[in-house]
Amino acid sequence: AQSVTQPDIHITVSEGASLELRCNYSYGATPYLFWYVQSPGQGLQLLLKYFSGDTLVQGIKGFEAEFKRSQSSFNLRKPSVHWSDAAEYFCAVGVDPSYDKVIFGPGTSLSVIP
Amino acid sequence: ETGVTQSPTHLIKTRGQQVTLRCSSQSGHNTVSWYQQALGQGPQFIFQYYREEENGRGNFPPRFSGLQFPNYSSELNVNALELDDSALYLCASSSPRTEGDTQYFGPGTRLTVL
């Protein structure tokens, strides 16, 4: 069965520093991969998604993620973090685009130091 | 174009009671999915409705049921509430499913079971 792990429960970075959030998945075939962000009191917002094609995916808010099949990873990156990026980040994997089998990771909480 | 809305925002119930949560989909979306997000965890897929029919279900007991109406709004009903049902309940809507489709999440309903 497919699963998603996010090894870092909590990360703290300084404003302006670079960021990388790790995500590893377990699935036999090429999965559909997503990164979502959740700010306090708000619903989930899709940052980016990978279905096929170029393994480096650009998203909103300056985020990007790279799919590495050999490592079963889909890490999220941002070159320069802003204080408003402080939130909970969820990696998710789906086995088809119909969304009835999307599995979310446990999340990584990001704090940003001014 | 309005986003996904959910009501109520917060709800407190006692064990054994029944609850109904509501979701209004984004305009033009005919698919809605419901998720349960326990504190400190990622969302877990409950079920999905497509054109008023259930279209996929996660690992939740039958006391979790749903409806989708002709205007594509949706309800989540939970009977015989248990303490572990305390969570944030999220709904997400999407347009007709094609590869690359995107779910739009509402802000959620926070349910507390005492």
Side-chain angles (χ1 to χ4, degrees), chain A residues 32-37 44-51 57-60 96-99 102 104, chain B residues 1 4 25-33 35 48 91-106:
Chain A
Y32 299 89
L33 297 161
F34 311 85
W35 273 101
Y36 285 88
V37 61
L44 294 164
Q45 182 181 23
L46 180 68
L47 289 174
L48 46 80
K49 57 192 176 187
Y50 173 78
F51 283 1
V57 181
Q58 300 299 318
I60 62 171
D96 61 54
S98 65
Y99 296 93
V102 176
F104 284 82
Chain B
E1 180 180 286
V4 179
S25 300
Q26 185 159 310
S27 177
H29 289 181
N30 59 12
T31 301
V32 64
S33 301
Y35 294 83
Q48 182 183 81
C91 79
S93 73
S94 56
S95 58
R97 288 169 292 153
T98 58
E99 187 172 0
D101 201 8
T102 300
Q103 289 187 105
Y104 294 85
F105 282 82

Side-chain angles (χ1 to χ4, degrees), chain A residues 37 39 45 47 59-63 78 84-85:
Chain A
V37 61
S39 299
Q45 182 181 23
L47 289 174
I60 62 171
K61 304 185 178 185
F63 287 93
K78 187 170 185 177
S84 60
D85 293 325

Side-chain angles (χ1 to χ4, degrees), chain A residues 42-114:
Chain A
Q42 297 188 24
L44 294 164
Q45 182 181 23
L46 180 68
L47 289 174
L48 46 80
K49 57 192 176 187
Y50 173 78
F51 283 1
S52 64
D54 193 348
T55 56
L56 184 62
V57 181
Q58 300 299 318
I60 62 171
K61 304 185 178 185
F63 287 93
E64 67 176 26
E66 186 172 13
F67 169 59
K68 292 186 177 180
R69 185 191 307 274
S70 62
Q71 299 178 18
S72 297
S73 69
F74 189 58
N75 294 348
L76 182 71
R77 300 193 296 249
K78 187 170 185 177
S80 178
V81 170
H82 188 262
W83 63 267
S84 60
D85 293 325
E88 191 83 19
Y89 290 80
F90 294 95
C91 181
V93 59
V95 298
D96 61 54
S98 65
Y99 296 93
D100 61 348
K101 292 190 175 94
V102 176
I103 296 177
F104 284 82
T108 296
S109 177
L110 174 66
S111 296
V112 180
I113 300 173

Side-chain angles (χ1 to χ4, degrees), chain B residues 27-78:
Chain B
S27 177
H29 289 181
N30 59 12
T31 301
V32 64
S33 301
W34 285 91
Y35 294 83
Q36 179 195 66
Q37 186 178 14
L39 197 62
Q41 297 182 24
Q44 282 193 294
F45 175 76
I46 303 175
F47 45 57
Q48 182 183 81
Y49 279 80
Y50 174 63
R51 293 184 174 179
E52 303 178 55
E53 296 288 330
E54 187 176 293
N55 179 49
R57 187 178 183 92
N59 188 27
F60 280 82
R63 59 190 185 84
F64 285 79
S65 63
L67 282 173
Q68 188 181 30
F69 301 99
N71 66 354
Y72 302 132
S73 65
S74 175
E75 287 183 354
L76 165 64
N77 298 289
V78 187

